[in-house]
Amino acid sequence: MRSHNAGKPGQQVLATGWFLNLPALAVLAFFFLAPAVISLWFSCRNWDGLTNSTFVGIANFQELVASPRFWHALWTNTALAGLTLITQVPLAFFVALVLFKQRHQTRFLRSLVMFPQVFSVGAACLLWLMIYHPQRGLLNAALSLVLPGDVKVAWLGSSTTALGAVIFAQNWYYFGLHSLIFLAGMSGIPQEYYDVVRMSSNRIRDELRHVTLPMLREQFLISFILVVSGSFGHVLGFVSILTNGGPAGSTELLGLYAIEMGFRAGRFGLASAITVVILMVVLSIVIWPILRIARTRLEYA
């Protein structure tokens, strides 16, 4: 006969889990949920930062929908996220795969891929400003050695090349983090899985197809989340220092648009509406990977 207290150990474990997660939940609520609620509240108001705010409903959002500049910034942000995703993640995976295959001889290279993270974002941007300099830049100097004529391309001063130059610079800075994520995932794959594949085929392509890629599904989802959220968030440091949204608005992101509306134009209500849009866009994109990761962990539990 089943005891009435059979469910108590499970309930105690669940309660203990919630208790241990309280500090993390408190930090999440303080640094994420509370600012999100405040931004949502201000997005429905007209406020210059000094006088009393007035309720305007969805007027700020209606203004954004009617603004060509907003749609251009949204498109630029989306393009940056997409281009970063298809360049940074494959590069990080390839580097991680090489390091994993040669793990006994590449201790120095493993630390080298994380070397860019030693720099602050400001220092990294100053380095790339020197590399991209039209007259004294290292990139133009290197191209002048292999191309006819004296190359004087303004990489950050042209609408054609500015966004690509920013993406290349921030890929250099962040790809090491994603390589570390993939390398950790590869290190956790049991060697027996590879041995089974090698019994029928000794090709690296089959190992990638049947073992490595399926087992790194969670790592790819994590990288996807980091790239998308970062493209709407921390990449603002690179863009603001390298181009500040120029030239001619070709690298203006939603975050820079919000900063200008809030701190330069004194329209904090409209700036808050932009941040709410950023939050909704990011959540709509990353919610499926987050749920997928949670479901995967439950399957393995």
Side-chain angles (χ1 to χ4, degrees):
M1 186 174 179
R2 189 174 181 179
S3 172
H4 293 288
N5 296 326
K8 287 187 177 180
Q11 295 176 358
Q12 292 175 352
V13 171
L14 183 61
T16 303
W18 277 104
F19 178 76
L20 294 176
N21 281 287
L22 280 179
L25 293 175
V27 172
L28 178 65
F30 184 79
F31 288 102
F32 181 77
L33 295 180
V37 172
I38 294 174
S39 295
L40 182 61
W41 187 80
F42 275 114
S43 68
C44 299
R45 310 188 73 84
N46 184 18
W47 185 47
D48 59 3
L50 298 174
T51 59
N52 293 331
S53 62
T54 56
F55 180 78
V56 295
I58 62 172
N60 289 324
F61 295 97
Q62 291 175 334
E63 182 175 347
L64 289 179
V65 171
S67 171
R69 184 178 178 183
F70 165 76
W71 290 109
H72 175 73
L74 178 60
W75 163 249
T76 304
N77 226 144
T78 305
L80 183 140
L83 292 173
T84 301
L85 191 65
I86 62 177
T87 55
Q88 189 176 118
V89 175
L91 172 64
F93 174 76
F94 175 77
V95 171
L97 185 63
V98 172
L99 295 178
F100 180 72
K101 292 294 182 181
Q102 306 293 332
R103 53 188 177 276
H104 300 297
Q105 294 86 15
T106 55
R107 293 181 180 178
F108 172 73
L109 292 179
R110 290 190 181 194
S111 59
L112 189 62
V113 297
M114 291 302 296
F115 177 73
Q117 295 286 315
V118 176
F119 295 95
S120 65
V121 172
C125 289
L126 290 177
L127 174 64
W128 282 99
L129 283 173
M130 291 186 290
I131 293 175
Y132 288 142
H133 195 278
Q135 283 77 36
R136 301 182 298 274
L138 296 178
L139 180 57
N140 284 339
L143 291 175
S144 298
L145 296 176
V146 297
L147 296 177
D150 193 12
V151 179
K152 297 293 183 182
V153 178
W155 298 99
L156 298 175
S158 170
S159 301
T160 306
T161 58
L163 186 62
V166 171
I167 292 174
F168 191 90
Q170 60 106 12
N171 279 352
W172 170 83
Y173 187 78
Y174 289 109
F175 90 96
L177 173 62
H178 296 272
S179 296
L180 192 64
I181 293 173
F182 288 125
L183 191 59
M186 293 176 187
S187 301
I189 299 176
Q191 183 62 35
E192 292 80 5
Y193 293 178
Y194 292 105
D195 295 336
V196 172
V197 175
R198 288 167 186 165
M199 290 176 63
S200 58
S201 174
N202 197 28
R203 292 181 298 183
I204 298 179
R205 182 182 64 183
D206 293 329
E207 293 182 6
L208 289 174
R209 179 182 177 184
H210 299 293
V211 179
T212 306
L213 292 176
M215 295 299 293
L216 293 181
R217 178 178 58 183
E218 185 173 332
Q219 281 71 27
F220 275 104
L221 291 175
I222 292 173
S223 291
F224 177 84
I225 294 171
L226 292 177
V227 169
V228 172
S229 60
S231 297
F232 286 86
H234 58 67
V235 77
L236 285 177
F238 268 90
V239 178
S240 61
I241 297 176
L242 292 178
T243 65
N244 196 28
S250 60
T251 59
E252 185 178 49
L253 307 181
L254 286 175
L256 292 177
Y257 185 29
I259 292 173
E260 181 174 344
M261 289 295 101
F263 294 98
R264 295 180 182 177
R267 303 191 60 187
F268 288 96
L270 185 62
S272 297
I274 299 172
T275 61
V276 171
V277 171
I278 295 174
L279 178 61
M280 297 305 296
V281 170
V282 172
L283 286 179
S284 64
I285 296 175
V286 305
I287 189 65
W288 180 85
I290 292 175
L291 295 177
R292 184 61 183 173
I293 292 174
R295 189 181 303 114
T296 302
R297 296 192 175 213
L298 287 176
E299 291 173 357
Y300 288 147

